[in-house]
Amino acid sequence: MKKRFITMTHSLYWFTNDLRLSDNALISLAAKQDTALSFVYCIDPQLFKSNHHDCQSMGQHRWQFLAQSLQQLNNTLKDYGQHLVIYHQAAHEMIEHYYHHHNVRTLYCSEQIGYNEQQTLLNVAKNHADLVIKQANTFTLYGNQQLPFSVNELPATFSQFRKLIEQTTPTINTLLDPPEYIARPLIAPMPWPTTLPNVSKERALFAGGEQSATDHLADYFSSANPSTYKETRNALAGIANSSKFSPWLANGCISARQIVNALRNYERIHGANDSTYWIYFELLWREYFQLYSLRYGNKLFSFAGITKRKPLTSFYPQRFKQWCTGTTPYPIVNACMKQLNKTGYMSNRGRQLVASCLVNELKLDWRFGAAYFEQQLIDYDVASNWGNWQYLAGVGADPRSGRHFNLVKQTQTYDANNQFINHWQGDEVHAIDSLDAADWPLSS
């Protein structure tokens, strides 16, 4: 009688924007299965190449924070006898390899917010009919099924959305503990690909990773800062002036639910006020744009946005270069841009001012500003970044022909003594040429 060889199937967990084990519904789901399980993360080479906005998607600050987050995640997985394998290739290529060479028939991947990431998963499912793709919400405060409307019925304005949420008060699910057990890996540990860019050794403003996020959460809510958040959040500098959760939220090192849970505990002990409410308000703002991305798909990147009305702006390479390098005629803008270039971070008020300048004073295509933020910001996430840029350019949610900030008045309000401008040498101003220089051509 001829022997039959049975090939065991395996499972693959593809980390994306969920770089943590705590309060991770997908990890909890994957931990229930017994077959060999591999944990992977893909870094697409295209992230480091110049795109059609003459930026690259992953700048040095973003890369440093991401690399630290991945290193911390790998160290945490070691406690379970597991490890994280890093690939420097497109995700669909990696999945194809595991499917054909390691008999992977179950893929775990968080629900994706971004249009391009959703398309990757749709193509994977189309090409591999017998591949079971298991997903869970790991990135937003509420699951779609908890909302009082469908994603396609997302209110046209944030104010309408907020009122609906506050009227219906959807339940925030109980936080999930890290798993007690995770199945053994299929693939042995591997060194990081040598083709990846070097990680900067400079001391960063924020350290990536779940443990760093947890430490910051504890430190912030053990201070009195939440009770004064609304009064201080618009400051242009200062670690304690705002909550600073966004870098870890963007990478999934912490969940929005963990922050709200800590906020509610703080309010029970110290009392609620306008400032503690405003922390929740800002999380709802983030939530709105995640749903906005799901609702409008690739319109998130359209020049005319969701309004189908193109702004009266164009593209001037020299002006864009001056904006990026902080050498415009506007000191407050220059200081903010130099802060961004040096640290990978900028205050919320600063982001509004520099975006308004790009669109209104420099008359530039808003998409180039959004692309530069994507490159530079360590807290970049696709929905918040592109949705907020559309909002300010007047082509997105609640369009009112854009938000035009008076830069002189804003400077008097938020930097009356020029302390911030002087620190970042923002007063080194340069005029904008009436005829744009042609010495900085766009790449093809």
Side-chain angles (χ1 to χ4, degrees), residues 165-229:
I165 293 296
E166 293 180 344
Q167 288 169 2
T168 57
T169 58
T171 301
I172 298 176
N173 292 337
T174 304
L175 298 185
L176 299 169
D177 293 327
E180 295 182 0
Y181 164 83
I182 297 177
R184 293 300 177 182
L186 169 65
I187 303 298
M190 296 168 55
W192 284 33
T194 57
T195 52
L196 285 169
N198 293 328
V199 178
S200 173
K201 301 297 183 183
E202 289 188 18
R203 182 177 177 83
L205 192 60
F206 303 95
E210 180 179 5
Q211 186 58 55
S212 300
T214 302
D215 291 344
H216 179 71
L217 183 74
D219 289 344
Y220 183 74
F221 284 108
S222 64
S223 72
N225 293 329
S227 295
T228 58
Y229 173 80

Side-chain angles (χ1 to χ4, degrees), residues 398-414:
D398 190 21
R400 301 176 190 170
S401 71
R403 270 70 179 166
H404 192 172
F405 288 85
N406 182 318
L407 297 176
V408 173
K409 183 178 179 181
Q410 292 290 312
T411 302
Q412 292 170 347
T413 301
Y414 297 106

